[in-house]
Amino acid sequence: MSVRLGCIADDFTGATDLANNLVRAGMRVLQLIDVPAEDTDPTTDPTVDADAVVIALKSRTVPAAEAVEASLRALEWLRAAGAEQIYFKYCSTFDSTPAGNIGQVTEALMDALGTDFTVATPAFPDNGRTVFKGHLFVGDVLLGESGMRHHPLTPMTDSNLVSVLEAQTTRPVGLIDHKVVAEGADAVRDRITQLRADGVGAAIVDAVSNDDLLRLGAAVKELPLVTAGSGLAIGLPANWGFEPSPAAAQLPPASGRQAVVAGSVSAATNGQVREFLSTGRPAFSVDPLRIAAGEDVAAEALAFADKHLADGPVLVYSTESPDAVRSVQGQLGAAEAGVLVEHTLSRVAQGLVQRGVRQLVVAGGETSGAVVQALGLTGLRIGGQIDPGVPWCAAPLPGGDTLHITLKSGNFGGPDFFTAAFALLNEEAK
């Protein structure tokens, strides 16, 4: 066993986002899908051969009590595996509601670890997420003015992360601002000491550059628990002496057919779908209202794929503008619409793999969770980066085949992400 860092991610795309940054910094990373079975002993399991283990949960939007219970089970497994530090990973847009789940899970992990202090920062400058004076920016706009204000499940209208986190916790929340971070790791440690003395339990940390995250990473070396988006991951591996190495991202060569399943309603994924459509490649649109009417849309999508898979990547998608999403939710309800689409897209993914797809792009956090569970994947080996926060992964399939899969957060990736992902994977296979 060589597990140094144990990570708990609140959704599947976020888990691969975090793992991607750890791999880029030189760690060999294994991503597990949910907490392994109780009879799995991490100290003897030969598959747990990694410097960092990321346990991917589907806990971002479930009731807070369920998120806490799942996170504590993950913590117990990671501690049994020998993890020396715990990393609770959430979205770089701090996705949550006034009821949780970021604050509640953080406090539960703190209590279980017996620590009185942790840090919190969703900053990921490589993807345009920065924190300044405690306020989160998405690109050049404040979080509350970004497209996240229209998110169907976790609309984010407050950009002040101190107030957002305080609404979810019983402990006081403080700030480690950009001036302190710029002074270096020692200054950050001094500020932490001061905040602890003042009874503060968690502190939002400013970060506007990767250098800020590297300084923060060095400063939190001794903390039992850190909480962040995926950005802080670039600053932690060096604490154990790791350096970037291509060997950390090595995967088996890719083969088989190609497909994309997209269920995110984010602006980025909508743009990627439009770009794919503009190339004239085959695509099938999934209509939630037709699913609700009892039509077998999954079967139609697979019949469509049967005609085109031999000629290159096929896209099956359910992405709409914010107005269209609100219209569907008004007719079906937000939760019901989401479940219908997730179930249909997960059935489509199963059918695609049965038809020989071995290179699969999945867009959207909730969609990724549904697809991974439907495919019965239990672990992913993390490979090279496609775009910031999005790596290719490899998972074993029954019968000995390997599925190369990427789980893309809805907000991540450039306009040509879908085609660029396949081009990169097959270039690496040459």
Side-chain angles (χ1 to χ4, degrees):
M1 289 298 300
S2 57
V3 177
R4 305 299 182 84
L5 183 65
C7 309
I8 303 166
D10 68 357
D11 84 338
F12 290 5
T13 58
T16 54
D17 172 14
L18 168 60
N20 174 66
N21 278 345
L22 294 172
V23 167
R24 290 173 62 213
M27 281 183 148
R28 296 170 306 133
V29 181
L30 177 65
Q31 178 176 325
L32 300 177
I33 308 305
D34 210 337
V35 184
E38 291 183 5
D39 59 355
T40 301
D41 184 351
T43 63
T44 59
D45 186 347
T47 65
V48 186
D49 179 22
D51 307 307
V53 174
V54 181
I55 294 181
L57 303 177
K58 204 168 182 287
S59 59
R60 181 170 300 170
T61 57
V62 303
E66 292 181 26
V68 166
E69 188 274 334
S71 300
L72 290 176
R73 284 192 295 109
L75 172 64
E76 182 179 2
W77 195 92
L78 291 167
R79 294 177 79 181
E84 299 168 15
Q85 186 176 52
I86 300 299
Y87 190 134
F88 170 43
K89 193 275 175 194
Y90 36 74
C91 188
S92 64
T93 47
F94 218 62
D95 284 24
S96 52
T97 69
N101 296 338
I102 294 174
Q104 283 86 340
V105 170
T106 295
E107 288 200 307
L109 294 174
M110 290 175 70
D111 291 341
L113 289 166
T115 184
D116 65 346
F117 185 85
T118 190
V119 294
T121 182
F124 190 4
D126 284 352
N127 259 331
R129 312 295 193 265
T130 54
V131 181
F132 182 72
K133 295 188 176 180
H135 289 68
L136 178 57
F137 286 79
V138 178
D140 295 328
V141 301
L142 285 162
L143 173 67
E145 299 170 9
S146 74
M148 285 301 299
R149 69 187 185 277
H150 299 305
H151 193 285
L153 298 177
T154 52
M156 300 302 293
T157 57
D158 188 353
S159 308
N160 185 336
L161 301 188
V162 175
S163 64
V164 172
L165 189 56
E166 277 190 330
Q168 302 178 25
T169 62
T170 60
R171 293 169 168 86
V173 178
L175 174 66
I176 301 176
D177 72 16
H178 64 104
K179 294 179 180 178
V180 173
V181 176
E183 292 177 7
D186 287 341
V188 174
R189 282 190 286 265
D190 289 343
R191 175 62 173 156
I192 289 174
T193 299
Q194 177 187 351
L195 290 169
R196 281 178 131 152
D198 292 340
V200 171
I204 300 296
V205 185
D206 282 356
V208 297
S209 68
N210 283 350
D211 286 341
D212 287 339
L213 293 172
L214 292 172
R215 287 187 281 264
L216 177 59
V220 299
K221 180 179 180 179
E222 304 301 327
L223 290 184
L225 172 71
V226 296
T227 85
S230 66
L232 182 56
I234 71 172
L236 298 182
N239 291 338
W240 289 281
F242 291 100
E243 297 179 352
S245 167
Q250 193 168 20
L251 295 179
S255 62
R257 293 175 167 180
Q258 304 167 331
V260 181
V261 174
S264 170
V265 296
S266 72
T269 301
N270 274 319
Q272 290 153 4
V273 168
R274 288 194 299 270
E275 174 66 20
F276 189 95
L277 295 175
S278 74
T279 68
R281 292 181 173 89
F284 184 94
S285 177
V286 171
D287 183 349
L289 295 178
R290 291 186 59 217
I291 303 172
E295 299 182 40
D296 194 345
V297 178
E300 291 182 28
L302 291 169
F304 175 87
D306 284 334
K307 301 175 183 178
H308 301 285
L309 276 172
D311 299 322
V314 171
L315 167 66
V316 179
Y317 69 100
S318 179
T319 59
E320 296 288 352
S321 68
D323 287 343
V325 171
R326 283 193 290 271
S327 175
V328 171
Q329 290 178 338
Q331 298 177 66
L332 302 179
E336 178 66 15
V339 169
L340 287 174
V341 170
E342 287 174 29
H343 178 68
T344 297
L345 292 180
S346 64
R347 282 183 57 206
V348 169
Q350 284 179 307
L352 290 170
V353 171
Q354 290 167 359
R355 286 160 171 77
V357 167
R358 294 295 180 267
Q359 302 173 45
L360 181 63
V361 173
V362 186
E366 297 300 314
T367 302
S368 292
V371 166
V372 165
Q373 290 175 332
L375 293 176
L377 304 182
T378 58
L380 305 174
R381 184 65 62 176
I382 309 302
Q385 175 174 281
I386 305 166
D387 268 349
V390 195
W392 274 109
C393 309
L397 292 173
D401 280 0
T402 295
L403 174 66
H404 285 75
I405 185 169
T406 182
L407 308 175
K408 187 193 80 69
S409 172
N411 294 301
F412 285 4
D416 65 343
F417 179 87
F418 297 154
T419 53
F422 295 122
L424 175 65
L425 182 62
N426 289 279
E427 180 62 30
E428 290 177 348
K430 292 179 181 178

